[in-house]
Amino acid sequence: MADEPSTLHLTDPRAMRALAHQTRIRLLGELRIRGPQTVGMLSDVTGEAVGSVSYHLGKLAEHGFVREAPELARNRRERWWRAAHARTNWEPVELLDDPERRLASDLLRRAFLQRYVARFEAYLDAEASLDPAWVRGTTSSDSFLHLTPDELVELRRELSELGERWQARSNPDRPDARTVTLIWQAYRGPQ
């Protein structure tokens, strides 16, 4: 798959380990969803202390996940931050032969899994208070398929294309538009 300029392709195990922290994953997500913000704004949204947010943003910046946005500051004391890329990806198959990178990838994927679970639990807690129009479109499902390795690669490509098509259609400026989470997985199940 060709990477778009807005995608950071991870291969460095240090960067993977740096991102594999719930606060950092959340901060990066908030910057990607809501756009540039100050440390104080991020502190308010996440409930993390200002000092903690600053520390974690520094770690994210060190590995190229975020960068400062000084053009947004109203004075020299105000520091704004933005996500450096719209997406982050890595190829597990590229990491199989390197134990350090494989372990870092595993750690990062488990951290993302925890974040996915937390976000879905928060949705379930709020579902009863949502407009039924939003609940009508909600879905969770699974399928057990019998595929070859090449077919699994084809399925992955089609899912990625579908996600990219809807990402291109996404526009937060529409009056009725809200953030919707799309997560998919395809993997060989246990035998």
Side-chain angles (χ1 to χ4, degrees):
M1 265 178 240
D3 287 333
E4 299 174 19
S6 64
T7 300
L8 174 63
H9 182 75
L10 287 179
T11 58
D12 180 358
R14 293 168 301 172
M16 290 179 191
R17 284 191 305 274
L19 184 56
H21 187 285
Q22 289 304 309
T23 301
R24 294 178 197 153
I25 290 171
R26 176 124 191 247
L27 291 170
L28 181 57
E30 291 297 336
L31 290 171
R32 285 180 175 168
I33 292 169
R34 299 174 192 263
Q37 297 178 63
T38 65
V39 169
M41 293 164 75
L42 287 165
S43 174
D44 290 344
V45 168
T46 63
E48 293 285 329
V50 170
S52 174
V53 171
S54 283
Y55 172 78
H56 290 299
L57 285 172
K59 288 296 181 185
L60 289 169
E62 182 181 325
H63 294 283
F65 296 107
V66 301
R67 64 177 182 255
E68 285 193 61
E71 71 280 5
L72 299 175
R74 293 175 293 193
N75 57 52
R76 292 180 5 172
R77 288 187 45 141
E78 190 175 65
R79 292 177 70 186
W80 284 75
W81 293 87
R82 70 169 26 104
H85 306 90
R87 285 174 293 287
T88 303
N89 74 12
W90 64 98
E91 292 290 334
V93 72
E94 294 174 358
L95 313 174
L96 290 176
D97 294 334
D98 182 335
E100 182 184 10
R101 290 182 354 167
R102 188 178 66 247
L103 287 172
S105 170
D106 182 65
L107 182 68
L108 183 54
R109 287 192 286 176
R110 290 176 189 277
F112 274 111
L113 176 61
Q114 291 170 358
R115 181 73 182 134
Y116 297 156
V117 168
R119 286 183 60 94
F120 190 57
E121 286 177 337
Y123 166 78
L124 291 174
D125 290 344
E127 185 178 62
S129 66
L130 293 176
D131 181 330
W134 284 106
V135 178
R136 184 175 44 251
T138 299
T139 183
S140 293
S141 182
D142 59 30
S143 298
F144 295 98
L145 311 171
H146 300 281
L147 305 176
T148 66
D150 288 341
E151 289 170 334
L152 181 57
V153 169
E154 182 181 351
L155 175 60
R156 173 188 165 171
R157 185 180 63 250
E158 288 179 14
L159 289 170
S160 293
E161 289 168 357
L162 180 64
E164 289 168 9
R165 189 173 82 229
W166 280 95
Q167 181 68 42
R169 186 171 170 176
S170 175
N171 179 352
D173 296 328
R174 290 180 294 165
D176 292 341
R178 300 293 182 270
T179 300
V180 171
T181 301
L182 173 64
I183 299 168
W184 67 81
Q185 294 180 311
Y187 55 90
R188 180 179 173 220
Q191 299 301 312

